[in-house]
Amino acid sequence: MDTQSTTRRSFYSAVIYGLGAIISAALALPAAVYLLFKPRSQKQAQWVDAADLGQLQIRKPEEVVFRRTRVDGWRVLNEKTTAWVVRMDEQHVVAYSPQCTHLGCAYHWDDRQKYFICPCHTSAFSIEGKVLAGPAPRPLDRYVTRVDSGKLLIGSQIERG
Amino acid sequence: MLRRVLDWLESRTGVETAVKHFLYEDIPASAGWHQVLGSVALFAFMTQAFTGVLLAFNYAPTPGDAYNSLRYIVTELTAGRIIRGLHHWGASLMIIVVVLHMTQVFLWGAYKKPRETTWMVGVVLLLVTLAYGLTGYLLPWDNRAYWGTVVTTQIASQAPGAGPYLLRLLGSDGGSIGVVTFARFYAAHVLLLPPLTMLLVGIHLYLIRRHGVTPTPQDEGIPKKKFYPEQVFKDTVATFVWFAVLAVMAVAVQVPLGRIADPTDISFIPRPEWYFLFLFQLLKLFEGPLEIVGSVVLPTLAILTLFLVPFLDRGQVLRVRNRTGAIALVALGVIGWSGLTARAVATTPPSTESPNAGLAEIEPWQQIPPDQLAAIGYFRKDNCGNCHILDKSGPGPDLTKTPSHRPDDWLMQHFRQPAPNAPATQLSGAELKTLAAFVTKRDDKAVEAWISAPQAGVEGAMVYEANHCGMCHQLNGVGQKVGPPLNGLADHRARDWVEGHFADPQKFTPGSTMPPYKLSSHDLDRLTSYLLEIPK
């Protein structure tokens, strides 16, 4: 084979591989972005009126039921949610997410023993949300809250305990 | 190291031999740029499969959800618009390349003995490609998709004898389009057609390998050349050009998405995809009992003729430039197709709905109740923003941060006399009450509207409130339901109708209990614009 034909052959294969690589990248890149990037969320932080402060007794946890909208893909759901609300003192209120930090079971307040107890693996939490016993790896998760003219407002974010 | 891995693979699978066998195929010396189109068509199919799977990852194939999930793909997902663009424009560009491929094979007479079956499988592949276009057209489930498919099924229903059965097969018993039709079209588009395409492409390629790339009369006695690298290079360059056009279109040309399919919206003018427009126009040439000629007889004859081309032309293989008959036929086809398509484009009236109606961003001010939007207007009219600078610190508190805690009587007092030597309020008592309710109760959406609402819309809401429209009508969830709710008015009423209706309701809606409203031309304009901008 003479050199001219060899040069031409290597030019051909360089172009084949080069253009092939460009096409593959131009397809793979948007695909990766499309699958891996978070949806541009249109949901704003929203505050839901959950309870009247006056009706909460100090250091007595209450399971409060409220409705909130949640965005699930292309759906906006209006669903019932609960929170364990504790009025710590005159000014401070905490709202715990109703799921145990171990495996997500619903726990409840044991009024005699004065702690939160999870029925699944007997994790126990203090009224401040700290782990007292059991396999739970961290304190109870909390909703962000705000008090406004005597109303307890619960936000959409959850702070990890 | 790489050599050793390859050697291992070769000895266990023979993959290297297979690839070499594929690449070092003998092809005629005359092979060249005119034969790249088949490879481009195959690549087009693979691109469609790739982008189709990506779309399916975020697409819910039931009416209603289909539309919402597609809207989610193009508005919420990064690059979602590009993926849909690649799939949508890729479909059109695939049709083009498939037809060009067929035209080339036809002009060169490459369907002649022994390649008759290669041609016939190709014709079936063309029909399969068109079937993708037909079934995929319904999947966005917007008005365009819905009404376009209504026409398709109506045409199918005209098939003599088979009509009703064909309709039933399309899931459109009795001619209506519903969940069953949708399921059938979706299943055909993603479950039936792709494996069928792969099978047919496999047979097509096998037949090409069996008979070899078609030589021309000049190839006699000239040694053959190899497929790789020269022809592969040409195929790759052509594929790249095709893909570059597609990529530019996917990024630069927005794929339309109308409003969600509304079977009661009889004002929508359906039209098929551009490559079916000529058929659409053909229908108009045959009227009454002859319609079946345009809708069924001619298309069937055309497909049959195309299919049987190798048996209709059994002459010697000639050089392209000597195939005058074939060239004339192609020219005739191009002229006929272009003429019908141009006529169809020229005679179809413009759509009443903007092609991108479904993509319009709905702004906060279009979603809040009219009393809240009017309150924003009162706030602006009394220049409250001079002290209460929104979203910034100013002499007065920033009201967007937290709602006002002041009791109503304090607020009323404050509105009347905001500062020792401030000018008196220009608002009525009722307007002040609305404003007081707004500053204490506004939600996050209202705050966004407060900052960003256009003054024209705000003024429309003020006219709405001043005329107590909410006493009879509901808008954005507020108001009575004595009269019809007003959300989505623009979907079924034109501006003239709305303006005329205010002046004389009974003339437009006989029996209406709505009193006439004598609005100033400014107020009429603002109110009408406002109502037409509130979505469903």
Side-chain angles (χ1 to χ4, degrees):
Chain A
M1 227 178 270
D2 56 64
T3 35
Q4 202 196 341
S5 126
T6 322
T7 330
R8 196 184 302 150
R9 279 182 70 89
S10 51
F11 167 72
Y12 284 153
S13 36
V15 172
I16 292 167
Y17 287 116
L19 294 185
I22 294 174
I23 293 174
S24 311
L27 281 172
L29 213 71
V33 167
Y34 168 79
L35 292 176
L36 300 176
F37 276 36
K38 257 172 119 170
R40 257 174 247 137
S41 102
Q42 288 186 338
K43 55 200 153 175
Q44 288 98 28
Q46 42 161 300
W47 295 91
V48 184
D49 187 345
D52 266 334
L53 217 55
Q55 287 172 353
L56 295 170
Q57 293 173 34
I58 288 174
R59 294 187 76 79
K60 185 172 188 312
E62 291 273 1
E63 189 171 18
V64 171
V65 180
F66 57 99
R67 296 200 75 86
R68 67 172 340 128
T69 52
R70 185 168 65 86
V71 176
D72 175 17
W74 48 88
R75 291 185 176 186
V76 180
L77 309 168
N78 188 280
E79 58 188 13
K80 228 155 97 183
T81 319
T82 64
W84 278 96
V85 173
V86 190
R87 188 172 185 186
M88 292 300 183
D89 54 46
E90 284 303 323
Q91 285 310 309
H92 292 95
V93 184
V94 246
Y96 297 115
S97 155
Q99 291 176 320
C100 176
T101 53
H102 177 219
L103 293 173
C105 292
Y107 58 83
H108 60 266
W109 174 250
D110 187 327
D111 205 32
R112 265 182 324 128
Q113 317 258 29
K114 303 286 178 205
Y115 54 58
F116 292 106
I117 179 83
C118 176
C120 292
H121 304 90
T122 62
S123 288
F125 304 89
S126 73
I127 198 164
E128 284 83 21
K130 294 205 178 70
V131 181
L132 297 177
R138 60 172 198 278
L140 290 173
D141 299 334
R142 298 167 177 219
Y143 286 105
V144 292
T145 57
R146 203 170 76 181
V147 175
D148 205 333
S149 35
K151 299 263 192 207
L152 170 68
L153 303 177
I154 293 186
S156 39
Q157 288 122 304
I158 290 179
E159 289 169 345
R160 275 167 68 94
Chain B
M1 183 61 205
L2 184 66
R3 191 64 257 162
R4 280 181 57 191
V5 173
L6 285 178
D7 284 346
W8 185 89
L9 259 183
E10 166 64 12
S11 80
R12 301 309 190 278
T13 64
V15 66
E16 220 178 322
T17 318
V19 169
K20 278 189 178 146
H21 179 70
F22 171 72
L23 287 178
Y24 294 109
E25 180 200 2
D26 283 332
I27 58 171
S30 68
W33 287 108
H34 59 283
Q35 272 138 332
V36 299
L37 293 161
S39 298
V40 180
L42 180 58
F43 173 77
F45 169 66
M46 295 192 304
T47 313
Q48 288 305 98
F50 181 72
T51 52
V53 169
L54 284 174
L55 287 175
F57 279 150
N58 284 301
Y59 175 78
T62 51
D65 257 1
Y67 177 84
N68 290 331
S69 55
L70 181 60
R71 199 170 178 279
Y72 166 81
I73 289 172
V74 293
T75 61
E76 293 280 304
L77 296 181
T78 317
R81 207 179 65 85
I82 292 175
I83 302 292
R84 182 176 182 230
L86 288 171
H87 198 71
H88 179 93
W89 299 121
S92 283
L93 291 177
M94 179 167 170
I95 302 250
I96 292 176
V97 78
V98 162
V99 170
L100 286 179
H101 175 50
M102 191 176 74
T103 310
Q104 183 270 320
V105 171
F106 180 77
L107 281 178
W108 265 254
Y111 48 77
K112 294 189 178 187
K113 188 186 166 190
R115 299 182 177 80
E116 297 95 329
T117 46
T118 321
W119 168 268
M120 286 153 81
V121 172
V123 172
V124 179
L125 273 168
L126 170 73
L127 297 179
V128 167
T129 310
L130 293 175
Y132 278 114
L134 206 68
T135 50
Y137 197 70
L138 179 63
L139 302 184
W141 199 253
D142 58 358
N143 272 324
R144 201 173 88 98
Y146 180 88
W147 293 102
T149 305
V150 167
V151 175
T152 312
T153 50
Q154 294 298 324
I155 291 173
S157 74
Q158 292 179 349
Y165 301 100
L166 214 52
L167 267 194
R168 198 162 298 158
L169 198 63
L170 292 175
S172 172
D173 225 348
S176 66
I177 307 277
V179 285
V180 181
T181 329
F182 188 92
R184 300 277 162 99
F185 275 54
Y186 178 74
H189 193 80
V190 309
L191 289 175
L192 176 68
L193 294 175
L196 187 63
T197 315
M198 288 184 237
L199 178 73
L200 290 168
V201 166
I203 297 174
H204 199 63
L205 288 176
Y206 163 78
L207 289 170
I208 292 166
R209 287 306 297 256
R210 183 174 169 84
H211 301 300
V213 171
T214 318
T216 60
Q218 306 100 289
D219 280 310
E220 207 109 5
I222 298 176
K224 295 196 165 213
K225 57 181 182 183
K226 300 286 181 200
F227 179 52
Y228 185 88
E230 194 188 326
Q231 188 62 28
V232 175
F233 160 80
K234 287 174 180 164
D235 285 7
T236 310
V237 170
T239 301
F240 182 78
V241 170
W242 181 88
F243 182 77
V245 173
L246 172 59
V248 167
M249 287 184 82
V251 172
V253 191
Q254 188 166 42
V255 182
L257 182 66
R259 292 209 178 82
I260 189 165
D262 179 2
T264 63
D265 181 6
I266 48 168
S267 66
F268 193 87
I269 301 157
R271 77 201 61 206
E273 202 55 297
W274 64 268
Y275 41 83
F276 286 126
L277 269 180
F278 75 104
L279 271 177
F280 197 60
Q281 188 63 24
L282 194 65
L283 288 186
K284 297 187 195 160
L285 299 180
F286 299 92
E287 278 176 12
L290 282 180
E291 199 180 355
I292 190 173
V293 176
S295 62
V296 181
V297 178
L298 280 182
T300 312
L301 275 179
I303 292 166
L304 262 177
T305 313
L306 207 57
F307 195 71
L308 297 175
V309 155
F311 306 101
L312 299 173
D313 168 26
R314 304 168 70 120
Q316 283 294 308
V317 179
L318 296 172
R319 300 175 68 154
V320 188
R321 68 171 92 119
N322 296 335
R323 286 178 49 82
T324 39
I327 295 171
L329 274 177
V330 169
L332 215 64
V334 171
I335 292 168
W337 182 87
S338 324
L340 285 171
T341 306
R343 188 90 192 108
V345 171
T347 54
T348 322
S351 172
T352 46
E353 179 184 296
S354 141
N356 293 319
L359 293 171
E361 201 79 45
I362 301 169
E363 296 191 31
W365 71 270
Q366 293 167 290
Q367 295 170 284
I368 63 172
D371 58 321
Q372 295 191 10
L373 190 59
I376 294 171
Y378 307 149
F379 179 88
R380 292 181 184 173
K381 191 176 170 189
D382 251 10
N383 300 313
C384 307
N386 286 353
C387 291
H388 300 280
I389 302 169
L390 296 178
D391 217 18
K392 281 196 190 74
S393 57
D398 175 7
L399 296 169
T400 61
K401 287 280 175 295
T402 46
S404 168
H405 295 156
R406 304 285 190 178
D408 277 0
D409 45 353
W410 186 95
L411 283 171
M412 297 300 271
Q413 193 63 39
H414 174 68
F415 292 158
R416 294 208 167 91
Q417 194 55 259
N421 39 21
T425 177
Q426 309 169 51
L427 301 172
S428 72
E431 289 169 340
L432 291 177
K433 273 193 189 132
T434 308
L435 182 57
F438 179 77
V439 295
T440 49
K441 298 211 172 57
R442 89 290 181 290
D443 59 11
D444 296 335
K445 189 143 273 164
V447 169
E448 281 183 63
W450 204 352
I451 297 167
S452 63
Q455 185 59 18
V458 168
E459 284 175 17
M462 285 162 72
V463 179
Y464 186 92
E465 287 299 304
N467 290 284
H468 309 290
C469 304
M471 299 288 276
C472 292
H473 293 281
Q474 197 172 57
L475 187 62
N476 281 343
V478 171
Q480 303 299 314
K481 284 185 172 169
V482 180
L486 297 173
N487 277 69
L489 191 64
D491 292 346
H492 50 102
R493 295 296 180 213
R495 190 176 184 96
D496 290 352
W497 191 97
V498 178
E499 289 192 345
H501 189 274
F502 278 122
D504 188 358
Q506 282 73 29
K507 188 176 147 199
F508 290 82
T509 320
S512 166
T513 54
M514 178 163 152
Y517 283 84
K518 299 264 173 289
L519 299 167
S520 73
S521 65
H522 177 268
D523 283 4
L524 182 64
D525 172 69
R526 287 292 192 266
L527 181 57
T528 308
S529 302
Y530 170 63
L531 289 176
L532 291 176
E533 288 203 68
I534 304 305
K536 242 179 210 155

